[in-house]
């Protein structure tokens, strides 16, 4: 079965290496820090064979060329952002699949943080690498997309099997939890989750990955179409409620 190696890099990113022991393939999920990725792969004794980018931001694709030069790996990246990502061998879009040995990853359009942001869902491993689209108790800033686009992306994430473990790219959870409790103060499941997060962070533990099932019940952005969120935050359509929440978080 697939091995997942997670490690902190830059100031608050998580780096991920996925390794398939049967084929010997190893994929970098994004490339925030080439030196750190090469060091971590070396320590594991894994030869990097691929990079899968989620979006063009430098803390996700900035290490592409250095890793490719060092390893000869191939690079998969979102077609819609091909002009802004270095070293691409294969451009992919929603509905495409990529392979890690025998395992298949489905490309999902999660645009909104950036226009062409994609996630990689590996149903056999019950994991999804979601970049900066959804975070524990939060979502990415809407730098390029529209509320309608971002909401549609979150609906695609919500539609994954609830047992899916979400691997996001940043440890933003403590700050997200503060806003989430402000946004959804009567949610008992959220209150429990926020307390657990605070305990974990005080011990220096990671809060990522997290099961989708828990986010469905507690993440205010994934709950933008719930009646109580609509009542509190307004909006006639879910994307309007989402937009109100996103704007409030930006100013929080
Ligand atoms: Zn980003
Ligand atoms: Fe990022």
């Amino acid at each position: 079965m697939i091995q997942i190696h997670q490690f902190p890099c830059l100031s608050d990113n998580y780096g991920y290496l996925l390794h398939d022991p049967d084929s010997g393939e190893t994929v970098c999920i994004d490339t925030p820090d080439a030196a750190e990725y090469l060091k971590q792969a070396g320590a594991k004794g894994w030869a990097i064979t691929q990079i899968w980018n989620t979006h063009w931001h430098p803390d996700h694709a900035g290490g592409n060329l250095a890793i490719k030069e060092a390893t000869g790996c191939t690079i998969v990246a979102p077609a819609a952002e091909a002009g802004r990502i270095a070293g691409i061998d294969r451009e992919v879009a929603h509905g495409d699949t990529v392979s890690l040995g025998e395992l298949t990853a489905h490309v999902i359009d999660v645009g909104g943080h950036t226009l062409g942001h994609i996630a990689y869902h590996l149903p056999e491993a019950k994991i999804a690498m979601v970049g900066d689209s959804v975070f524990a108790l939060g979502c990415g800033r809407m730098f390029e997309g529209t509320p309608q686009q971002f909401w549609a992306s979150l609906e695609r994430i919500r539609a994954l099997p609830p047992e899916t473990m979400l691997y996001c790219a940043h440890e933003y959870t403590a700050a997200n939890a503060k806003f989430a409790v402000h946004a959804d103060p009567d949610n008992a499941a959220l209150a429990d989750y926020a307390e657990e997060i605070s305990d974990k962070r005080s011990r220096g533990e990671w809060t990522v990955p997290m099961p989708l099932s828990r986010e469905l019940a507690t993440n205010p952005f994934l709950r933008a179409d719930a009646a109580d969120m609509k009542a509190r935050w307004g909006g006639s359509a879910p994307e309007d409620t989402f937009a109100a929440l996103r704007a409030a978080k930006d100013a929080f």
Side-chain angles (χ1 to χ4, degrees):
M1 202 41 179
I2 191 173
Q3 292 173 258
I4 305 167
H5 179 48
Q6 176 173 356
F7 51 94
C9 58
L10 303 182
S11 58
D12 51 33
N13 280 74
Y14 284 121
Y16 299 108
L17 292 167
L18 306 185
H19 178 69
D20 172 46
D22 294 333
S23 63
E25 284 227 58
T26 302
V27 58
C28 303
I29 304 301
D30 286 330
T31 59
D33 181 338
E36 188 62 26
Y37 267 63
L38 293 168
K39 185 180 122 191
Q40 295 284 340
K44 286 278 180 189
W46 296 349
I48 292 169
T49 54
Q50 299 187 59
I51 292 167
W52 296 351
N53 288 128
T54 63
H55 66 295
W56 68 267
H57 284 161
D59 66 310
H60 298 262
N64 276 17
L65 288 183
I67 294 175
K68 186 172 188 173
E69 199 167 301
T71 64
C73 70
T74 58
I75 300 180
V76 175
E81 300 185 355
R84 307 178 86 167
I85 297 177
I88 303 178
D89 296 287
R90 184 174 165 216
E91 298 174 17
V92 293
H94 185 78
D96 287 342
T97 59
V98 291
S99 298
L100 175 66
E102 298 284 302
L103 287 177
T104 300
H106 297 258
V107 175
I108 303 170
D109 169 8
V110 292
H113 172 69
T114 62
L115 285 178
H117 196 314
I118 55 175
Y120 297 87
H121 175 225
L122 290 82
E124 295 132 312
K126 299 182 166 61
I127 65 174
M129 315 309 291
V130 295
D132 291 353
S133 59
V134 67
F135 295 121
L137 292 181
C139 71
R141 269 187 192 255
M142 195 170 65
F143 286 119
E144 297 179 3
T146 62
Q148 198 165 16
Q149 180 189 14
F150 212 141
W151 175 248
S153 296
L154 295 182
E155 287 196 293
R156 285 188 282 273
I157 290 168
R158 289 201 316 185
L160 297 175
E163 67 271 24
T164 306
M165 293 301 286
L166 303 177
Y167 287 78
C168 60
H170 294 273
E171 179 62 62
Y172 288 159
T173 316
N176 286 345
K178 287 198 181 74
F179 175 74
V181 167
H182 164 75
D184 190 10
D186 301 329
N187 185 330
L190 169 59
D192 287 348
Y193 191 9
E195 197 177 314
E196 190 181 309
I197 285 160
S198 160
D199 291 347
K200 277 192 170 173
R201 293 309 292 152
S202 68
R203 295 192 297 264
E205 293 172 17
W206 303 341
T207 63
V208 178
M210 61 288 180
L212 173 59
S213 56
R214 196 169 202 184
E215 296 302 312
L216 291 174
T218 56
N219 186 318
F221 298 97
L222 293 179
R223 296 189 66 250
D225 61 345
D228 57 335
M229 295 303 277
K230 183 177 169 177
R232 195 176 292 276
W233 290 93
S236 50
E239 59 262 34
D240 302 326
T241 309
F242 168 80
L245 282 162
R246 189 57 263 178
K249 174 67 167 69
D250 290 345
F252 188 66

